[in-house]
Amino acid sequence: MDEVHHWVGSNGGPEFFQTLKRNVEKLAAVGSRWVTTTNAYNPNEDSVAQLIHESDMITQGFWLYDCIEGSIEPDEMRDEAKVRQALTEAYGDAAWADIDGLTRTVLYDRTTPDSTYLRFFCNRIAESSDGWMSKVEWDAREDDQDPIKPGDQIALGFDGSIRGDATGIVGVRLRDAKLFVIGVWERPEHAHDEWEVDVLAVEAAVHRAFETYRVAWMYADPPYWQEAIGRWSITHGDDTVYEFWTNKPTRMVQAVERFRTAVMVGDLKHDGDARLTRHVLNAVTREVPQGILIQKDSPRSKRKVDLAVCAVIAMEARADAIADGRMKLRRSRVVGF
């Protein structure tokens, strides 16, 4: 199996790998074996290369993993001596490698991101340069203390689709900006062409959220869902449910920047939900005249980002609820005698 860093969920790679591996394992007693070759993987893609590398079969010594990595860090990619040393280490006895030419390319060719050079020239595991959030940054905001409870005061962010993208609802607690997933509806892997999001299930989840928590503010992206959002506004208050058009660049750029800053400085946290983490790490950046937006890595990509969008607008809803004076703090009453 070759180039398994390209075997990712969007092309069915992990499922194909499992099928091949199972059949080899059934015949291991008569000599069947499997071998993979790969370049270094992007740790945000959940490729077969990553699944193998992180498997306990490696750490327990049952599978052989062999790799020579160049000794260099991302912030050293302009240091000629470090680049040359890393390339020499990575290529080893490959006498045909043009170390001088590769060194010049890494130092001066800016048409390719440094993360690509790290992966494909130096055998270093590295995230794509256009990724919105790194795994290290996002994981640092995970918090399993003080879980979200019924009755907590929250804000909501909703991003909806009908067929292609996912539909999601993310909540955030007002008092500490802790994010959590209310619900997500994603197109199944082998869904028929007529598959659509279960609108009734989505509406039920919205109403259940209002019944379970004290919802101070809700922002909802209107396309395809304007009628439903109108009903939610009538039911739960037009001073609570508002439209938030994510296709308006100026407003969305500012929201994305505020969210990114909150992650960097520790002004938000999340409960570690794997679905939200996956969507956040799937998001890539797109530069527009107003600034930076987030999106899928390609229009047809199966790597969804909708919960990331929900989280961004949920944080906006929280900020506006607090600015409007809706965060109610319980204060103890002191009585003197």
Side-chain angles (χ1 to χ4, degrees):
M1 293 175 277
D2 191 27
E3 304 278 13
V4 292
H5 58 285
H6 288 314
W7 294 28
V8 296
S10 60
N11 59 31
E15 184 176 321
F16 184 51
F17 167 69
Q18 292 297 332
T19 301
L20 295 174
K21 187 170 70 69
R22 282 197 304 272
N23 284 285
V24 170
E25 289 166 342
K26 291 174 184 177
L27 299 174
V30 294
S32 293
R33 298 291 185 269
W34 60 267
V35 176
T36 66
T37 56
T38 184
N39 283 292
Y41 56 82
N42 177 344
N44 289 345
E45 291 183 339
D46 293 327
S47 65
V48 168
Q50 180 175 356
L51 295 176
I52 293 172
H53 184 217
E54 295 178 349
S55 171
D56 287 342
M57 296 294 282
I58 297 288
T59 58
Q60 296 295 323
F62 299 119
W63 292 349
L64 172 64
Y65 178 87
D66 185 30
C67 176
I68 300 175
E69 298 183 9
S71 303
I72 192 168
E73 299 299 327
D75 60 358
E76 298 174 332
M77 295 297 283
R78 305 279 76 77
D79 186 321
E80 181 174 355
K82 292 286 184 66
V83 170
R84 185 179 299 276
Q85 176 186 345
L87 292 169
T88 301
E89 291 171 347
Y91 280 90
D93 59 359
W96 59 86
D98 180 7
I99 300 299
D100 290 338
L102 292 173
T103 300
R104 285 194 302 271
T105 297
V106 172
L107 291 174
Y108 303 115
D109 181 5
R110 302 274 60 82
T111 64
T112 301
D114 285 343
S115 59
T116 300
Y117 291 138
L118 283 167
R119 290 176 60 198
F120 293 92
F121 287 5
C122 301
N123 286 339
R124 294 297 305 271
I125 297 167
E127 298 170 346
S128 294
S129 60
D130 59 353
W132 178 47
M133 198 81 64
S134 76
K135 190 173 188 301
V136 171
E137 292 167 340
W138 183 249
D139 287 350
R141 301 282 77 85
E142 181 176 346
D143 178 60
D144 59 3
Q145 304 298 312
D146 191 14
I148 308 292
K149 299 182 180 67
D152 280 347
Q153 192 177 28
I154 67 169
L156 295 175
F158 169 82
D159 183 40
S161 180
I162 297 297
R163 296 184 181 86
D165 290 326
T167 292
I169 313 167
V170 169
V172 58
R173 190 160 54 192
L174 259 62
R175 64 176 169 84
D176 60 355
K178 186 168 188 176
L179 293 158
F180 65 106
V181 175
I182 297 287
V184 61
W185 296 263
E186 293 185 81
R187 182 184 180 89
E189 184 69 27
H190 301 293
H192 54 76
D193 293 340
E194 292 77 25
W195 182 89
E196 291 186 354
V197 170
D198 187 340
V199 174
L200 293 179
V202 175
E203 296 214 39
V206 170
H207 294 312
R208 191 162 52 249
F210 275 87
E211 292 171 354
T212 304
Y213 308 100
R214 292 181 295 137
V215 179
W217 204 285
M218 178 181 186
Y219 272 144
D221 193 18
Y224 309 110
W225 290 83
Q226 283 179 287
E227 185 178 337
I229 295 169
R231 289 196 300 273
W232 303 342
S233 177
I234 292 171
T235 302
H236 304 292
D238 59 7
D239 62 343
T240 300
V241 179
Y242 299 91
E243 293 183 349
F244 188 105
W245 290 85
T246 60
N247 61 0
K248 294 184 177 180
T250 299
R251 190 178 191 188
M252 195 60 187
V253 160
Q254 294 170 353
V256 167
E257 175 59 28
R258 281 191 284 266
F259 189 96
R260 184 80 173 82
T261 300
V263 172
M264 296 301 295
V265 302
D267 282 348
L268 67 73
K269 48 191 172 181
H270 60 89
D271 63 0
D273 190 292
R275 299 166 297 177
L276 177 57
T277 294
R278 173 164 51 86
H279 283 219
V280 167
L281 298 184
N282 283 347
V284 300
T285 58
R286 176 167 68 93
E287 189 170 353
V288 296
Q290 295 84 354
I292 300 296
L293 295 173
I294 59 172
Q295 63 180 24
K296 297 191 295 183
D297 52 9
S298 70
R300 294 180 177 273
S301 175
K302 296 180 181 179
R303 293 165 53 81
K304 304 304 182 186
V305 302
D306 305 86
L307 288 179
V309 174
C310 292
V312 168
I313 62 178
M315 285 291 290
E316 291 295 288
R318 172 183 179 266
D320 288 342
I322 293 173
D324 196 52
R326 301 192 187 188
M327 187 165 69
K328 298 177 176 60
L329 299 178
R330 294 175 180 173
R331 303 179 186 275
S332 58
R333 184 178 181 185
V334 178
V335 180
F337 294 93

